[in-house]
Amino acid sequence: MTFRSGFRRTVGAARALAALVGLHACEGGDPPRADVPATDAVAADTSVATDAVTATDAIIATDIFTDRPAIADAGSAPDAAVADRPATPDAPANLDATAPADTPTPVADTPVTPTDAPAGVGPAVWTNRNDNSRSAAVTNETALTVAAVSSSRFGLLFSRAVVGQIYAQPLYVPSVNVPGRGARPVVFVATAHNMVYAFDAADPAAAAPFWSMNLGPSVPNADVGDPAPCPDMSPEIGITATPVIDLATSTLYVEAKSKEAGAYVHRLHALDLATGAERGGSPTVIAATVPGTGAGSVGGMLAFDNLHQHSRPGLLLVNGTVYMAFASHCDREPYHGWILGYDAATLRPSVVYNTTVNGESGGIWQSGMGLSADAAGDIYYASGNGTFAPTATPPQMGNSAVRLRRAGATLAMVDWFTPFNQSSLNEQDYDFGSTGVELLPGNLALVGSKQGHLYLFNRDRMGHFNAAGDTQIEQNFLATANEEYSNIHGAPVFWASPGGTLAYVWGESDYLRAYRFDGGRFATTPAATSTAMAGTGMPGGMLAVSSNGSAAGSGVVWASIPIDMDANMMTVPGVLRAFDAADVTRELWNSERTPADSLGSFAKFVIPTVAGGRVYMATFSNRLNVYGLR
């Protein structure tokens, strides 16, 4: 089931009050903003590069409890001198938001060269939340120590102007062979205007992108919602899922939604990292049809709905396949949870999966967190409100965490967990899957929910369903202030501190909390809480953590969060905060202490990208901010 008009409330006066104080996020939902110009029709780029992509993956996870890096160090060099922050125009001087799409000249593959990076530092951030476990942890950061971040040297280095809201996490590669420039560190930014940018990640004077591409005219938000327009994303809908990079082939995969001649189209693009050129076979139109009698089906067949379906979770690259997951816009029906896989080399469709093929809803939105994958290639998702019938053929898996295994052209469910109160969660719009499934060492997995609970379970015996209570799983506990007003949207992050592993979570209308974790269970009383409180309403803190392994004085928790307002259905000012990971009562720095460091408008569900001694932060103010040591 799904709530209608974006605001189903059936639990009495307390929930009515919650609706007034701060509306809860709907599946795939995102806030509007007033500072983006009206959507312009932009011609779709259909140019095709002549070179094909090979199917080699770069799937390297970070062990968040040890000092094991995600990939080999990509070389280092001292930071260049940083000039004062340049003025930020409304749009890049060389970019006309209404102009036809850029069509860079196709060139031969230009592979990443991690051994030759004169200005790049540290490993790549090639996927949402850093790795396929979705840890959001950087464990080899040596520059951004507690002492450095708390000093007057840390602050805004420069900004990069873009067109459109940034819903996707910025990605970073420490060394790309850019034509005419040589090996440079590059940060990749994608926006709701269907723009993709490749910026110099280190040079404050390099305001113009190495390249920019428009991937088609965006969809006006007036076209979606129940009722339309959907205020979650305004004024346009385009790229909202974090892209993924194949380092071995220097390819950036991007999902873009567009409206062309009155029709709605989803496409998967494969772009050359160095030039932005489309790879061979790119782009490809996303489409799928499966047998089913669920909402929106016709004659026993269920087709992927180009208007209603929305790709919010970050893309997943595993075993030569690019996976995309879908939910809805403002819960406008009919919709389902879809996972679609395309061959990374050819961009041909290869895998189709639907969560509720004979039911309704069950969207996979996960507050932007990508599908996760283990070392064997099994895939994990957490769904939102929807039909729950696990013994049906096929199973209908609303409000559930599911482990999938590739089986030819589909994904087979091999294990699953559903909370005992799933029916109540469904009725009250407390999506179980408000975060994705975070994979932890020791074969464990963790999910956070809108009800403010953390669910810890073993991946090999996920627990299925127990109507008497969730006693069959490792742990289920309330990790935020209360069940009604403290949704979890930002998945927890972990640091193996000198005194033991700590987990951090920041729910709505709550304080940042640090919990001790012994590798098997959480201590349910916080070890520490911040003095800074989240604003009233959604979404709480979107977290990342950086450290130099377990070294004392190296752990920093980074949080992007609204300053003091509810970011649901509206654009609000944001703040980037940094805390001592060993003691979160100590805030090291925040972007609003000095006007020159100010973040701008909060980018909902986007975590900070920490890479190469810098922090790359998306905003809804038509710019990417880059923070670091001056």
Side-chain angles (χ1 to χ4, degrees):
M1 296 179 65
T2 180
F3 65 91
R4 302 179 187 278
S5 301
F7 307 97
R8 189 181 65 188
R9 294 290 180 263
T10 59
V11 291
R15 295 302 291 161
L17 175 61
L20 294 173
V21 174
L23 304 173
H24 292 270
C26 54
E27 289 186 70
D30 295 280
R33 58 177 288 205
D35 58 343
V36 176
T39 304
D40 297 304
V42 183
D45 179 21
T46 57
S47 63
V48 177
T50 58
D51 52 334
V53 180
T54 61
T56 306
D57 288 329
I59 306 168
I60 308 159
T62 302
D63 187 336
I64 56 177
F65 299 113
T66 68
D67 187 17
R68 187 171 69 199
I71 63 173
D73 190 284
S76 62
D79 290 347
V82 178
D84 291 338
R85 174 186 178 185
T88 303
D90 291 336
N94 66 336
L95 176 64
D96 180 357
T98 63
D102 299 326
T103 53
T105 303
V107 297
D109 285 355
T110 50
V112 177
T113 53
T115 59
D116 181 21
V121 180
V125 178
W126 55 277
T127 191
N128 172 247
R129 295 180 62 88
N130 299 53
D131 50 55
N132 282 351
S133 296
R134 308 306 180 189
S135 71
V138 176
T139 60
N140 56 2
E141 175 57 56
T142 58
L144 300 179
T145 63
V146 169
V149 174
S150 62
S151 74
S152 60
R153 295 178 56 213
F154 187 83
L156 182 67
L157 302 180
F158 55 90
S159 296
R160 292 292 173 255
V162 300
V163 174
Q165 303 165 327
I166 306 174
Y167 286 91
Q169 180 186 351
L171 301 178
Y172 169 88
V173 177
S175 184
V176 177
N177 283 332
V178 180
R181 293 296 305 275
R184 295 298 306 163
V186 179
V187 59
F188 298 91
V189 182
T191 79
H193 197 66
N194 278 336
M195 293 297 301
V196 182
Y197 301 84
F199 289 108
D200 193 301
D203 184 358
F210 292 128
W211 56 262
S212 63
M213 284 283 289
N214 182 269
L215 303 185
S218 57
V219 177
N221 80 308
D223 291 9
V224 300
D226 184 12
C230 171
D232 261 359
M233 304 182 71
S234 177
E236 58 185 341
I237 300 157
I239 302 167
T240 55
T242 300
V244 67
I245 293 171
D246 186 343
L247 294 172
T249 64
S250 289
T251 303
L252 178 74
Y253 296 95
V254 187
E255 192 275 348
K257 182 172 184 174
S258 60
K259 182 180 182 181
E260 302 161 18
Y264 303 96
V265 184
H266 291 258
R267 288 190 178 91
L268 175 63
H269 297 257
L271 307 179
D272 181 273
L273 287 186
T275 67
E278 297 271 9
R279 296 294 198 187
S282 176
T284 189
V285 173
I286 296 169
T289 302
V290 294
T293 59
S297 64
V298 176
M301 299 299 292
L302 179 65
F304 180 84
D305 189 315
N306 287 309
L307 172 60
H308 293 148
Q309 298 295 159
H310 177 211
S311 181
R312 194 63 176 94
L315 274 59
L316 171 70
L317 175 63
V318 64
N319 291 342
T321 301
V322 177
Y323 292 94
M324 297 160 285
F326 297 83
S328 72
H329 294 286
C330 282
D331 285 344
R332 180 174 177 179
E333 297 177 328
Y335 74 92
H336 300 266
W338 290 85
I339 297 176
L340 304 180
Y342 283 71
D343 186 279
T346 65
L347 293 194
R348 293 172 183 154
S350 57
V351 181
V352 178
Y353 172 84
N354 188 291
T355 62
T356 55
V357 70
N358 293 324
E360 64 177 358
S361 308
I364 305 171
W365 62 286
Q366 302 186 165
S367 299
M369 182 174 170
L371 301 170
S372 52
D374 61 26
D378 285 359
I379 295 170
Y380 302 76
Y381 74 82
S383 60
N385 306 320
T387 303
F388 175 60
T391 60
T393 303
Q396 311 298 294
M397 300 306 294
N399 272 337
S400 300
V402 177
R403 179 178 183 172
L404 301 172
R405 184 166 296 158
R406 178 75 178 265
T410 189
L411 294 165
M413 184 173 77
V414 296
D415 208 351
W416 56 278
F417 164 74
T418 305
F420 79 99
N421 59 340
Q422 65 81 25
S423 179
S424 174
L425 297 178
N426 199 56
E427 289 298 324
Q428 299 178 58
D429 182 34
Y430 279 143
D431 297 75
F432 170 71
S434 62
T435 75
V437 182
E438 187 173 359
L439 305 185
L440 307 182
N443 214 38
L444 296 173
L446 185 68
V447 174
S449 75
K450 273 190 183 181
Q451 204 174 28
H453 283 240
L454 289 179
Y455 299 82
L456 181 70
F457 46 87
N458 188 299
R459 286 180 251 158
D460 287 336
R461 50 177 192 279
M462 292 175 64
H464 296 188
F465 177 72
N466 178 10
D470 295 328
T471 56
Q472 78 279 24
I473 66 173
E474 271 59 31
Q475 199 169 11
N476 165 13
F477 74 102
L478 179 64
T480 60
N482 59 68
E483 293 184 340
E484 293 211 18
Y485 307 117
S486 293
N487 296 187
I488 297 174
H489 293 99
V493 294
F494 292 77
W495 179 46
S497 79
T501 297
L502 293 168
Y504 310 89
V505 63
W506 201 343
E508 297 178 6
S509 306
D510 196 11
Y511 300 91
L512 172 64
R513 295 170 178 239
Y515 289 95
R516 297 200 180 278
F517 182 65
D518 66 6
R521 288 182 65 85
F522 293 92
T524 57
T525 299
T529 59
S530 68
T531 58
M533 185 177 180
T536 300
M538 69 138 338
M542 309 308 295
L543 305 180
V545 64
S546 64
S547 69
N548 183 17
S550 296
S554 72
V556 178
V557 177
W558 304 90
S560 175
I561 195 165
I563 293 177
D564 58 4
M565 298 174 66
D566 184 352
N568 193 30
M569 310 289 179
M570 64 184 72
T571 297
V572 300
V575 55
L576 176 63
R577 298 183 184 273
F579 296 88
D580 184 346
D583 178 9
V584 296
T585 66
R586 183 185 176 203
E587 184 178 73
L588 306 175
W589 172 90
N590 76 63
S591 60
E592 307 313 298
R593 290 180 181 176
T594 303
D597 292 340
S598 186
L599 178 67
S601 295
F602 171 72
K604 186 172 151 190
F605 298 154
V606 185
I607 71 167
T609 294
V610 184
R614 300 177 184 87
V615 182
Y616 300 89
M617 194 64 241
T619 76
F620 281 0
S621 295
N622 283 15
R623 68 174 185 260
L624 170 77
N625 288 347
V626 183
Y627 296 89
L629 298 176
R630 293 182 275 239

